[in-house]
Amino acid sequence: MIILKPKSEWTSASTRDELAEKMQQTVETIPGVEFGFQQPIQMRFNELMTGARQDVVLKIYGENLDVLAEQASKVGKIVATCKGAEDVYVERVTGLPQIVVQFQRDALARYGVAVDDVNKAIRTAFAGETAGLVFENERRYDLVVRLDTAHRKSLDDVQNLIISTPSGNHIPLREVASVQIELGPNQIQHEDAKRRITIGFNVRNRDVESIVEELQAEIKTEAKLPTGYFITYGGSFENLIQAKKRLSVAVPIALLLIFTLLYFTFGSVKFGLLIFTAIPLSAIGGVVALWLRGMPFSISAGIGFIALFGVSVLNGIVLIAYFNRLKTEGMTDVREIVLHGTRVRLRPVLMTAAVASLGFLPMAISNSSGAEVQKPLATVVIGGLVSATLLTLLVLPVLYLLVESWSQKRSSKAPPLQASSGAALLMFTILFFGANSRLPAQQIIPQTPQGISLAQAIDIALKRNPTLQSASTEIELQRALQRTATDIGKTTVSLQLGQYNSFMQDNNLSIAQTIPFPTVFTSQVAFGDAQVRGAELKLATTRNELVFAVKSAFYGCAVLLERERLLQEQDSILVAFAKAAAKRTTTGETTQLEAATAALQASETSLALAQTRANLQTAYIQLQTLLAADSPVRISAPESLKRALKMPSDTTKAGTAFTRNPLYAFVQQQIAIAQSAQSVEAARVLPDLSVGYFSQTLIGAQDGSRIAGANDRFSGVQLGVALPLWVVPQLAKVEAASLAADIARTNAEAFRVQLSGEYAKAVQQFLKFKTSVDYYEQNALPQAAQVQKTARQLYERGAIGYLEYSQSLARALVVKTNYVESLAAYNNAVLTLELLAGIE
């Protein structure tokens, strides 16, 4: 720790960041050392939270240390080029010298020495072995034997270590082993049962969030990690994300409390909303002040906005309260009330804003320790109060004038029933025509075109398949349920009438609200986020399975079309030759057997063609069902009947592409959902809060001099805490939720093993059918074409008879048909791999 002199005595720097940069330039000349500059408390907090001392920490998780070091070096270079990232530190995991003894098996066998004996000799010489016991009264010690310090210092001591052979001879260790000094790992860090390496850096002259977002984009494009390796971001960025989640709960609660207090103060929603307009007016000034000073939005600035919202409504309270006072005193002209009230209350409004602004001014111009937290908060408050004061003096009186004038006009017009009837009629018209205007958008779906391609079939299925639409609706369902996370329950309003103070009839009006502990809301929000993410992954799974089904049906139709084409070609040839054989039989050129054989083969081919066409119609019906089409569908023949594998060959061999399967992510998400449910149940163990307000009459004598009447009301507030005295049932729910999380983890691991096995099986099927398809394409198909061509030429010249020719044609057809069947199996294997890998 370096204790700095007072700033008045500084000569080479004016700020702490500038001083750190100059110190870094000086110490960078020392080789082999990396430096970083931080505040001591900040450094300790960073180390406690993330295990590293820098502001932002990138952690790369994986299995192989060399790969981790290589990827960390790449990421470190990317971080070093990022603006605002200083003091970049890449964790060293290799470089520790160590003595490595590699046994020479042939030399050991030549001397008849066992590896275990050599290991024991080395262990005894340098680590020590127990040779007996030493007794001292009732205490007992091990007697350890090893070489003395003088013979355990150098590499030569290890190489010259004497080893005894079974024959009684003694040889040095270098005769049977290679002893060298090699560099190895100096540390192996683990986190969450995974090896990891860290890259840390400090942030100067820039906000943490923009740096991390820029790094995430650059790392994603420039440093693609191998399969099984991933990066997490922690440190100040992690604190920022958590603080944002807390603010997303704290800010709405603060706004709700402000409005509630305004309502209780004025007893009117109208005036509460009028004063509430000061909040957006003040937010404008806070944002502009941050922009003018070049400060990013931070958590301290967010807290400043909360403080600003509370202070900014004071000006509105001062104005509206005085306006209402003038009205109760008898003034009826709203314009005169606004002018007179604004003129009288100008000084109190300015003083209210000036007191708060001047109080925050030292924090806004501070440059001492902690200024990075104080300056954004004070800047927001001062800038917001300036805009709130100016706009409140201008906007709020105008709004009050409009609202009061509208209220007076409304009271002098037709009965409220007519106005409400017109509004209801207008609302009904909007809803009716709005709802009807959406119906054609759902009905105008293009009919399935004739001869559709695979891309068109997938697009139509994704738009029209009811299963996918149901999964999309489930996401909206979970998002709707997510908005219930901040439900505080119903507000209790009670009215009491009776004689509870005197013989006179008194009344009591009370309002009470029970609010769960704030951590319940945060836990329920996290649970809702997990549920929404689960629904999104379920949609992705359904989409992946639907695309697989459409592709399978499409290629099934394409294979049947190819088979139909082959059979049509064969049928036309056989029919023609059956007719020719019949004529040759009539003229006596051939026997009746040849004509009968030709007719039989032609009829068999016709039967196979009819069966193929029936199967094709069944496949088309299956595709039509997947597309949810009203009319029959037909496909256009693809450019290639062979499905190209989109996956890289290395991922196929490694067998890890299945981790990108959305179903795999969905099963993993169930763990997060179960953990979030456990957090919700654990948060409900905490006590509930209650707040209430009452207003009542106490008619009768309250003291010796004054009698309270029916117009005198007494009011107050009440705060309470509901403590869970019997927590056993709720703790049982927490335990049950924990067990559910364990079940989800077990199921996820079982599914991973099952998916891994299915993927490995699919890879083997792919390789098997690929070999078959390659054989037909490279050897069998060219040979079949040559056989068909040669047989036709010989038959036309009369060199062979019809039987030989028909046998050659049948053999060629069998080869082509087998190729089509192998191609169908190959396509199915490819589509299965794409399904397991989540590739469309």
Side-chain angles (χ1 to χ4, degrees):
M1 296 185 186
I2 299 177
I3 308 302
L4 302 178
K5 294 181 179 179
K7 279 193 175 182
S8 59
E9 300 179 14
W10 290 13
T11 58
S12 59
S14 58
T15 63
R16 189 181 68 86
D17 292 341
E18 183 181 357
L19 178 63
E21 292 177 359
K22 292 190 175 182
M23 293 174 67
Q24 185 173 10
Q25 293 174 0
T26 303
V27 298
E28 278 180 348
T29 57
I30 303 176
V33 185
E34 297 179 353
F35 296 88
F37 300 85
Q38 279 187 306
Q39 296 289 346
I41 298 178
Q42 179 187 9
M43 179 180 65
R44 296 305 179 194
F45 269 105
N46 290 339
E47 189 173 16
L48 287 173
M49 289 182 296
T50 61
R53 301 179 178 182
Q54 287 73 23
D55 291 339
V56 180
V57 178
L58 284 71
K59 297 180 180 179
I60 305 179
Y61 294 87
E63 298 179 355
N64 189 284
L65 286 178
D66 295 333
V67 176
L68 286 175
E70 179 184 357
Q71 297 300 325
S73 177
K74 292 181 181 179
V75 174
K77 293 179 181 179
I78 296 175
V79 173
T81 60
C82 185
K83 181 181 178 182
E86 304 291 342
D87 310 331
V88 180
Y89 165 75
V90 180
E91 186 179 14
R92 304 288 185 181
V93 295
T94 59
L96 178 66
Q98 56 186 3
I99 298 176
V100 179
V101 179
Q102 295 181 348
F103 294 117
Q104 301 174 1
R105 301 284 178 172
D106 53 346
L108 290 172
R110 187 168 58 252
Y111 287 105
V113 181
V115 174
D116 184 68
D117 296 334
V118 180
N119 282 332
K120 184 176 181 181
I122 297 173
R123 185 171 63 251
T124 303
F126 293 92
E129 281 287 324
T130 302
L133 296 173
V134 177
F135 293 90
E136 183 178 346
N137 297 327
E138 294 183 354
R139 287 172 291 187
R140 182 175 62 180
Y141 305 96
D142 288 335
L143 177 61
V144 180
V145 178
R146 66 175 178 177
L147 294 177
D148 59 0
T149 306
H151 294 86
R152 290 187 287 111
K153 289 185 176 181
S154 64
L155 182 66
D156 294 333
D157 294 334
V158 183
Q159 294 176 341
N160 297 327
L161 179 66
I162 301 301
I163 306 298
S164 299
T165 63
S167 61
N169 296 325
H170 297 84
I171 59 173
L173 179 61
R174 64 173 177 270
E175 292 293 328
V176 294
S178 172
V179 183
Q180 296 178 349
I181 296 179
E182 297 181 1
L183 296 180
N186 60 1
Q187 63 175 344
I188 302 178
Q189 298 289 350
H190 286 81
E191 188 172 329
D192 293 336
K194 300 181 184 68
R195 289 183 178 179
R196 59 98 172 145
I197 187 172
T198 61
I199 303 99
F201 62 93
N202 295 326
V203 179
R204 296 195 196 124
N205 302 322
R206 192 175 175 183
D207 64 293
V208 175
E209 186 175 11
S210 64
I211 285 184
V212 174
E213 290 177 350
E214 179 180 344
L215 286 178
Q216 288 176 335
E218 293 185 1
I219 292 174
K220 185 177 181 180
T221 56
E222 299 181 12
K224 297 183 178 179
L225 300 180
T227 303
Y229 294 77
F230 60 95
I231 299 180
T232 62
Y233 300 82
S236 300
F237 175 74
E238 185 177 2
N239 294 339
L240 177 65
I241 299 301
Q242 294 177 357
K244 279 187 174 181
K245 291 182 178 179
R246 296 190 185 98
L247 282 178
S248 65
V249 178
V251 172
I253 291 177
L255 295 177
L256 178 61
L257 290 177
I258 291 173
F259 180 76
T260 303
L261 293 176
L262 289 175
Y263 173 75
F264 287 150
T265 301
F266 292 95
S268 171
V269 176
K270 175 179 64 177
F271 294 129
L273 291 175
L274 277 177
I275 300 175
F276 208 71
T277 57
I279 291 179
L281 299 179
S282 63
I284 296 173
V287 173
V288 172
L290 288 176
W291 175 70
L292 291 176
R293 300 197 68 182
M295 295 181 179
F297 178 82
S298 60
I299 300 305
S300 59
I303 297 173
F305 275 108
I306 296 178
L308 172 63
F309 294 158
V311 178
S312 60
V313 299
L314 295 178
N315 293 335
I317 294 175
V318 171
L319 281 179
I320 298 298
Y322 192 69
F323 291 164
N324 290 341
R325 178 183 171 184
L326 292 177
K327 189 165 62 172
T328 57
E329 290 178 353
M331 293 185 65
T332 57
D333 189 355
V334 180
R335 185 172 181 274
E336 184 64 26
I337 291 175
V338 170
L339 293 176
H340 178 73
T342 305
R343 182 171 60 254
V344 173
R345 289 302 180 187
L346 175 62
R347 184 178 299 174
V349 168
L350 294 177
M351 290 180 63
T352 302
V355 169
S357 300
L358 294 176
F360 280 97
L361 185 60
M363 296 172 60
I365 61 177
S366 172
N367 288 317
S368 60
S369 299
E372 64 274 7
V373 177
Q374 299 175 4
K375 291 170 69 174
L377 189 150
T379 300
V380 167
V381 174
I382 294 175
L385 287 177
V386 171
S387 66
T389 302
L390 296 177
L391 295 177
T392 299
L393 291 172
L394 298 175
V395 176
L396 188 58
V398 175
L399 293 177
Y400 184 86
L401 178 62
L402 294 176
V403 170
E404 287 297 313
S405 300
W406 177 76
S407 298
Q408 293 180 359
K409 292 179 181 179
R410 182 183 178 187
S411 60
S412 61
K413 284 185 178 181
L417 179 60
Q418 298 179 5
S420 61
S421 302
L425 179 61
L426 178 61
M427 183 62 67
F428 174 80
T429 304
I430 293 174
L431 291 176
F432 179 79
F433 287 103
N436 288 341
S437 63
R438 291 193 297 269
L439 291 177
Q442 297 176 355
Q443 294 174 352
I444 300 176
I445 299 175
Q447 296 296 322
T448 307
Q450 300 294 323
I452 61 175
S453 64
L454 177 59
Q456 291 173 333
I458 294 176
D459 183 66
I460 294 172
L462 294 179
K463 291 180 179 178
R464 303 187 60 180
N465 190 274
T467 304
L468 196 64
Q469 293 176 0
S470 176
S472 300
T473 306
E474 186 173 352
I475 295 179
E476 300 300 325
L477 170 63
Q478 294 300 333
R479 287 176 178 168
L481 292 176
Q482 185 185 29
R483 294 194 292 270
T484 65
T486 56
D487 182 21
I488 63 174
K490 297 181 179 179
T491 302
T492 302
V493 180
S494 59
L495 177 63
Q496 180 180 356
L497 299 173
Q499 300 170 341
Y500 54 82
N501 184 62
S502 65
F503 291 101
M504 304 300 292
Q505 292 289 333
D506 287 289
N507 63 81
N508 178 290
L509 176 64
S510 61
I511 300 175
Q513 177 66 56
T514 300
I515 304 174
F517 203 81
T519 54
V520 174
F521 296 120
T522 57
S523 301
Q524 292 182 158
V525 169
F527 178 72
D529 293 340
Q531 291 279 43
V532 171
R533 179 57 181 164
E536 292 173 348
L537 292 175
K538 184 178 179 181
L539 173 62
T541 301
T542 306
R543 177 190 176 97
N544 188 35
E545 294 174 351
L546 177 60
V547 171
F548 167 77
V550 172
K551 290 189 294 187
S552 298
F554 185 92
Y555 277 100
C557 294
V559 168
L560 290 173
L561 284 174
E562 179 65 16
R563 183 177 177 84
E564 181 186 33
R565 186 189 66 79
L566 292 175
L567 290 174
Q568 283 179 340
E569 178 183 355
Q570 185 74 6
D571 181 71
S572 61
I573 295 174
L574 291 176
V575 169
F577 279 104
K579 293 179 180 179
K583 291 182 179 179
R584 292 173 63 184
T585 302
T586 304
T587 59
E589 297 178 4
T590 182
T591 64
Q592 187 69 28
L593 176 62
E594 182 175 333
T597 303
L600 178 61
Q601 289 183 346
S603 62
E604 289 180 348
T605 304
S606 299
L607 177 61
L609 180 60
Q611 292 176 347
T612 301
R613 287 173 176 170
N615 294 334
L616 180 59
Q617 292 301 320
T618 303
Y620 274 140
I621 293 174
Q622 180 184 1
L623 182 60
Q624 178 183 351
T625 303
L626 291 173
L627 301 186
D630 299 327
S631 58
V633 296
R634 295 293 182 269
I635 69 168
S636 59
E639 295 181 358
S640 174
L641 194 61
K642 182 179 179 182
R643 175 71 177 179
L645 183 62
K646 298 182 180 180
M647 299 169 54
S649 58
D650 55 346
T651 59
T652 304
K653 297 177 181 178
T656 57
F658 68 90
T659 56
R660 295 192 292 268
N661 191 324
L663 181 57
Y664 177 82
F666 173 78
V667 174
Q668 296 291 330
Q669 182 64 19
Q670 301 308 307
I671 301 176
I673 293 175
Q675 291 175 343
S676 299
Q678 180 183 358
S679 300
V680 172
E681 296 298 339
R684 288 175 177 166
V685 179
L686 299 174
D688 294 338
L689 307 177
S690 62
V691 60
Y693 170 82
F694 68 90
S695 176
Q696 66 179 16
T697 62
L698 294 174
I699 302 174
Q702 305 302 316
D703 53 31
S705 59
R706 187 170 184 271
I707 302 298
N711 295 327
D712 296 320
R713 303 192 67 83
F714 302 85
S715 59
V717 297
Q718 58 184 11
L719 301 175
V721 178
L723 300 176
L725 299 180
W726 180 245
V727 298
V728 173
Q730 187 61 31
L731 293 178
K733 293 181 181 179
V734 175
E735 183 180 2
S738 177
L739 294 176
D742 293 339
I743 293 174
R745 295 188 189 95
T746 304
N747 293 338
E749 178 60 21
F751 181 78
R752 186 193 67 80
V753 174
Q754 178 186 355
L755 196 60
S756 177
E758 292 179 0
Y759 185 82
K761 179 181 177 182
V763 170
Q764 294 302 318
Q765 292 291 324
F766 164 77
L767 295 177
K768 180 179 72 173
F769 292 118
K770 183 177 183 298
T771 303
S772 177
V773 170
D774 291 341
Y775 161 75
Y776 280 105
E777 291 178 345
Q778 298 173 8
N779 298 315
L781 287 179
Q783 293 174 1
Q786 184 64 33
V787 167
Q788 188 175 2
K789 178 181 178 182
T790 304
R792 180 180 299 173
Q793 293 175 352
L794 293 176
Y795 181 79
E796 291 174 352
R797 292 200 302 266
I800 61 175
Y802 176 78
L803 291 178
E804 292 86 355
Y805 178 69
S806 64
Q807 290 175 355
S808 300
L809 291 182
R811 185 56 188 166
L813 176 63
V814 169
V815 170
K816 293 180 180 180
T817 304
N818 291 341
Y819 168 70
V820 172
E821 299 299 331
S822 298
L823 202 57
Y826 170 83
N827 289 339
N828 185 57
V830 171
L831 295 178
T832 302
L833 280 176
E834 293 177 355
L835 170 67
L836 295 177
I839 297 176
E840 295 186 5

